[in-house]
Amino acid sequence: MEKKFERIEGQLVDIFNERVIPARVEFSRGGIVSVTEIPNAPAQYILPGFVDAHVHIESSMLTPVEFSRVALRHGTLAAISDPHEIANVLGVEGVRFMVENGKRTPFRFLFGAPSCVPATPFDHSGACLDAGALEEVLSMEGVGFLAEMMNFPGVLSREEEVMAKLALARRMHLPIDGHAPGLTGPDLKSYVAEGILTDHECEDLKEAEEKAGLGMHILIREGSGAKNFDSLLPLLDSFPEQVMFCTDDAHPDDLLTGHINQLVRRAILKKYDLFKVLRAASLNVARHYGLDMGFLRPQDRADFIVVDSLEEFGIKTCFLDGEVVYSEKGDKVSFVKAECPNNFLQRDLPAGSLSVVASEQPVRIIQALDGKLYTKEDRTILPSIQGLMRTDPERDLLKIALVNRYDRSISPAIGFIRGFGLKRGAIASSIAHDAHNLISVGVDDESMLRCFAWLNEQKGGIVIDDGEVREGLALPIAGLMSPEPAERVAEAYQQLNRRAKELGSELHAPFMTLAFMALVVIPELKLGDLGLFDVQSFQYTTLFETT
């Protein structure tokens, strides 16, 4: 009996020979059977599917299944995912949750083993993954690289545990992801010499070119919080084989509107070469990580997408292993209800617990920057009332507080911040990179305390309090993700973003920016759970300027 194959005709984008030809593709679940050039074909384009080169699924506030359901609509067939966030809350159990949930969708995930749990010795998170635990994680099916080595000071000082993790990855012949913002010169060379060959933290083209010149693969990031796409795009011409596209952190509302397809469209609009762009969006990623993806050659896996044009990249159909996983007529991946593992030690905060005794000395101020993970340090004298420091919303000087959710013995850390623009009330979240303690920015202590109380009741989420009305989005999966459908999560998140802006914030993504104010590996000044952290000197510092 003659075996039957599926077939599709269109303009085939041959990424290897850099040509677009009318072609017929025959395929089955076993893979691509043949690719035949034909005289004429329909005006639709057949090309490799997109791959997100670095993403924390948890930042979408969605489970891997729900993330995949939305990403497929945009032509993304695979993602290189670092479960660093949930690992900092739940350790090995958290990574296993992500891997197992990811198996419930046809989407192709490659998860990494988080290298920095906690991210630094100064973070107090919910778990610790030493080299022994990482060996267990790396043995899981679906885990295939050592995720971002954020502790670059530990690499440079050759800390024993850091060296053991790097040696483990090298011994297993696995890629090692980097995370070295601002690192240059001899220190950068030492970092790269340990086999760390990616970076997604470049802020400008000069930094990226230096890293690429040493052999690093540069991940051009355009996420909800950090946006480096426009400044780094010229790398496509100078280092075309070393460039990949990634989102890093994509909030649910942004994910609904687009994914890697948006970056491809923008690069084409800027007149960059089609094939350099598509390599950055697919082939370069698959090659670096050893991802088993098909690229429209005979005997390849039947993984490809069909789009309406090479300008708009409107997605018509997505195929994985010869099966339709998305059609413009509707999703093929179904919503899957997930369990809700968590690690949340609830605590009550009494009135006065966020107070700061007044001082005439200048106060160190965190300066938040829209669309940046970096902050600046400022110093100013704050007003006081009844012996206590108070905020000054007219000068955009607000209070920031961080509460450890794993250890009640640690008192709240308090600081002051500029850049959020709130005129009243407070916002708060249990998403606070990297340890994911509770964090809030507000005009008054009472609103902040009510936000913390709500987070404790829900065991995680994001919340806003305007002094009269409090509303939030519960995130019961590790305090990071919702078990609900993407559309519902995105709607709730958009509503909270609107409410934050009604309170005065002009930030594009106030809650995303808030989440990074505790990220003590990104300069200059951040808030850890023991107080203000000077990332330049990599140590805790005082709230008040000392002479």
Side-chain angles (χ1 to χ4, degrees), residues 54 56 82 115-116 146-150 177-179 200-201 248:
H54 177 78
H56 302 282
D82 176 5
S115 66
C116 297
L146 185 65
E148 52 186 305
M149 178 49 72
M150 309 173 74
D177 272 4
H179 179 289
H200 59 276
E201 292 292 345
D248 194 10

Side-chain angles (χ1 to χ4, degrees), residues 350-358 387-389 399 412 414 416 445 449 543:
S353 58
L354 304 184
S355 299
V356 178
V357 176
L388 298 176
M389 304 292 294
K399 185 172 285 187
I414 313 295
F416 292 89
D445 290 5
L449 286 170
L543 177 61

Side-chain angles (χ1 to χ4, degrees), residues 106-128:
F107 192 86
R108 202 154 293 147
F109 286 108
L110 181 67
F111 288 100
S115 66
C116 297
V117 179
T120 74
F122 305 100
D123 276 312
H124 296 88
S125 61
C128 179

Side-chain angles (χ1 to χ4, degrees), residues 179-447:
H179 179 289
L183 197 64
T184 62
D187 285 346
L188 176 61
K189 291 180 180 179
S190 297
Y191 187 74
V192 173
E194 295 299 330
I196 304 170
L197 291 178
T198 71
D199 192 275
H200 59 276
E201 292 292 345
C202 296
E203 278 288 304
D204 56 54
L205 188 60
K206 182 179 179 182
E207 177 186 351
E209 287 174 337
E210 180 180 358
K211 289 174 176 176
L214 293 174
M216 296 190 87
H217 296 259
I218 305 303
L219 281 56
I220 298 181
R221 171 179 58 191
E222 191 78 351
S224 295
K227 300 178 184 295
N228 311 118
F229 185 79
D230 291 332
S231 61
L232 300 184
L233 202 53
L235 286 173
L236 277 177
D237 287 334
S238 51
F239 296 93
E241 304 300 320
Q242 292 170 237
V243 174
M244 310 176 200
F245 292 157
C246 79
T247 59
D248 194 10
D249 296 287
H251 270 188
D253 56 333
D254 290 333
L255 186 61
L256 282 177
T257 63
H259 196 219
I260 301 300
N261 60 325
Q262 289 183 325
L263 306 188
V264 170
R265 188 184 303 127
R266 286 170 58 183
I268 295 299
L269 188 64
K270 290 177 178 290
K271 308 300 183 184
Y272 283 89
D273 177 76
L274 170 69
F275 297 99
K276 290 178 180 177
V277 172
L278 293 181
R279 285 194 194 100
S282 60
L283 182 61
N284 290 353
V285 189
R287 280 181 164 172
H288 179 73
Y289 289 97
L291 189 62
D292 187 10
M293 291 286 293
F295 287 91
L296 290 165
R297 297 172 297 184
Q299 300 183 7
D300 272 6
R301 298 178 78 152
D303 307 329
F304 56 93
I305 63 177
V306 182
V307 304
D308 58 4
S309 75
L310 296 182
E311 291 80 32
E312 292 300 318
F313 292 90
I315 309 302
K316 296 167 68 69
T317 320
C318 298
F319 293 84
L320 272 166
D321 284 329
E323 294 287 314
V324 175
V325 292
Y326 171 75
S327 164
E328 58 186 338
K329 297 178 181 178
D331 297 331
K332 299 298 180 181
V333 174
S334 300
F335 169 72
V336 176
K337 194 74 173 178
E339 59 186 28
C340 298
N342 209 335
N343 180 8
F344 203 106
L345 187 62
Q346 294 170 292
R347 61 190 296 188
D348 295 323
L349 293 175
S353 58
L354 304 184
S355 299
V356 178
V357 176
S359 171
E360 295 182 358
Q361 294 177 302
V363 178
R364 287 188 171 88
I365 305 292
I366 300 171
Q367 174 69 54
L369 305 172
D370 199 9
K372 302 290 184 182
L373 306 192
Y374 285 76
T375 62
K376 296 293 185 181
E377 179 179 339
D378 196 3
R379 302 187 186 195
T380 192
I381 295 176
L382 283 172
S384 62
I385 186 169
Q386 296 180 341
L388 298 176
M389 304 292 294
R390 66 177 179 88
T391 63
D392 188 350
E394 293 304 313
R395 289 195 291 155
D396 189 20
L397 292 168
L398 307 179
K399 185 172 285 187
I400 182 170
L402 190 141
V403 177
N404 189 294
R405 65 147 145 158
Y406 313 105
D407 187 345
R408 293 193 186 101
S409 69
I410 298 177
S411 299
I414 313 295
F416 292 89
I417 192 163
R418 171 180 277 146
F420 276 82
L422 301 180
K423 301 303 181 185
R424 68 182 192 280
I427 64 174
S429 176
S430 58
I431 303 171
H433 303 288
D434 281 305
H436 298 293
N437 290 301
L438 311 184
I439 190 167
S440 177
V441 165
V443 172
D444 62 277
D445 290 5
E446 293 75 19
S447 295

